[in-house]
Amino acid sequence: MKNGKLVVAQIGCGKFAEYQDLPNISSLEEVALKWICDLDLERAKEMQKKFGAEKVTSDYKEICAD
């Protein structure tokens, strides 16, 4: 928790994430989307821009280290 919000990461940015997971996460005021991760970094950056994640990576280990 940070500032009263649950901080989350989305690992994997396929169509299900784009049309189900990320819209739902983004719609929740009590959730902060910190990370978006995908093996295809350009895809992850596209989802970051679309859903406003704070950080983006293609290596899930960065998320675990955070």
Side-chain angles (χ1 to χ4, degrees):
M1 300 279 291
K2 182 177 179 182
N3 297 326
K5 292 187 176 194
L6 178 65
V7 179
V8 300
Q10 173 68 40
I11 299 176
C13 294
K15 293 297 181 187
F16 190 85
E18 181 178 8
Y19 293 106
Q20 186 71 36
D21 293 340
L22 290 166
N24 287 330
I25 291 168
S26 298
S27 72
L28 299 171
E29 291 182 22
E30 62 274 4
V31 176
L33 179 60
K34 184 170 184 180
W35 285 95
I36 290 190
C37 176
D38 196 87
L39 290 174
D40 179 347
L41 186 56
E42 291 307 312
R43 174 74 175 165
K45 287 178 180 179
E46 179 184 329
M47 294 299 102
Q48 178 192 30
K49 187 175 181 179
K50 185 172 182 178
F51 294 101
E54 183 181 329
K55 297 184 178 193
V56 64
T57 185
S58 61
D59 185 355
Y60 75 93
K61 292 175 187 172
E62 285 185 64
I63 297 167
C64 294
D66 185 31

